[in-house]
Amino acid sequence: MIKISPSVLASDFSRLGDEAERMEKCGADWLHLDVMDGHFVSNISFGAPVIASIRGRVKLPFDVHLMISEPLRYIDDFAKAGADIITFHIESDSGADETVEKIHSLGIKAGISIKPATPASAVFPYLGKADMILVMTVEPGFGGQSFMFETMDKVSEIRREADRLGIDIDIQVDGGINDKTVVTAAQAGANVFVAGSAVFRAENAADAIMTLRKNAEK
Ligand code: DX5
Ligand code: ZN
């Protein structure tokens, strides 16, 4: 099923709760929350207390993308903050099996993400364990970058391998998604689309979300 997950990284942080409500009203399926620690990536965004502060404002599932070192140490915090899906990077220093198990033990969905330089095969062992694979379509760390078309082969490879195994897994793409690149990513096999600038900077966010959804369904 196609899902649109606006990334609040492109929102007005001074009104984060209002921005979350706006996305809910505009038809978002999930809300994407980019956590950056200034170590795993060279930017710092926000952490669990900020996420907890807006949890009560919307019913939207919280899609938390951890771009942090040692994600395993912080799973409890993000669970308490109200995450519904927690995605961590396979390139981080926490064991992927252990981290997925920890997330699941708290009744939360687990996603595993790969950066542009990491091969698709790195996530093959987790297709039956994780709930979602996030293929980064930019280098993680900043919003507003250009979509890397060369990552599409990895999306196709992962979808092909999941189909071969008979596994219906969510494949998410994140970075540079707009009304055009969403078509390319959907054709490659992605079904969950993160969009920061394309939604928050649009004149009409509801139209932007509707167009992304329509184009992904093409
Ligand atoms: C990048 C983040 C993305 C980012 C996407 O490290 O993971 O979620 O906010 O922003 P856009 O859609 O503007 O590329
Ligand atoms: Zn993200």
Side-chain angles (χ1 to χ4, degrees):
M1 203 175 67
I2 286 169
K3 292 182 193 88
I4 308 296
S5 189
S7 164
V8 301
L9 198 61
S11 75
D12 177 353
F13 280 1
S14 73
R15 305 167 43 250
L16 195 52
D18 299 338
E19 290 283 72
E21 280 182 6
R22 181 162 77 96
M23 288 304 121
E24 189 161 63
K25 287 197 191 98
C26 287
D29 298 294
W30 294 353
L31 195 67
H32 189 80
L33 297 143
D34 284 308
V35 177
M36 306 178 180
D37 66 354
H39 186 255
F40 183 76
V41 292
S42 55
N43 193 13
I44 300 176
S45 57
F46 50 78
V50 171
I51 294 175
S53 77
I54 58 166
R55 182 60 283 190
R57 298 281 295 268
V58 289
K59 292 202 174 64
L60 283 178
F62 275 12
D63 166 30
V64 175
H65 177 194
L66 298 181
M67 286 161 275
I68 64 173
S69 301
E70 291 192 75
L72 182 56
R73 276 180 63 184
Y74 302 96
I75 300 302
D76 278 317
D77 291 350
F78 288 100
K80 280 194 204 107
D84 296 279
I85 303 137
I86 298 182
T87 300
F88 63 95
H89 273 264
I90 199 154
E91 303 88 354
S92 74
D93 36 16
S94 295
D97 277 299
E98 214 186 326
T99 308
V100 168
E101 279 162 28
K102 173 72 186 178
I103 296 169
H104 282 162
S105 76
L106 297 165
I108 295 168
K109 288 195 171 152
I112 302 187
S113 182
I114 51 173
K115 297 204 278 186
T118 304
S121 57
V123 296
F124 286 179
Y126 305 101
L127 292 178
K129 297 175 185 166
D131 303 283
M132 182 168 81
I133 302 298
L134 164 54
V135 177
M136 288 304 299
T137 42
V138 298
E139 277 305 333
F142 298 90
Q145 304 182 74
S146 300
F147 182 83
M148 295 168 69
F149 285 87
E150 60 270 36
T151 59
M152 289 300 98
D153 286 346
K154 297 198 294 182
V155 171
S156 310
E157 273 179 67
I158 294 166
R159 181 57 78 201
R160 215 179 304 124
E161 180 64 5
D163 286 350
R164 192 183 70 79
L165 298 169
I167 296 167
D168 180 22
I169 195 167
D170 282 331
I171 301 182
Q172 183 177 55
V173 283
D174 180 10
I177 298 294
N178 58 36
D179 54 356
K180 291 182 189 65
T181 56
V182 72
V183 178
T184 310
Q187 281 168 353
N191 69 302
V192 184
F193 306 89
V194 176
S197 325
V199 171
F200 281 95
R201 305 276 153 84
E203 236 169 78
N204 183 323
D207 282 351
I209 291 172
M210 208 167 56
T211 303
L212 287 172
R213 195 188 303 286
K214 208 174 65 205
N215 289 3
E217 278 163 0
K218 266 184 197 165

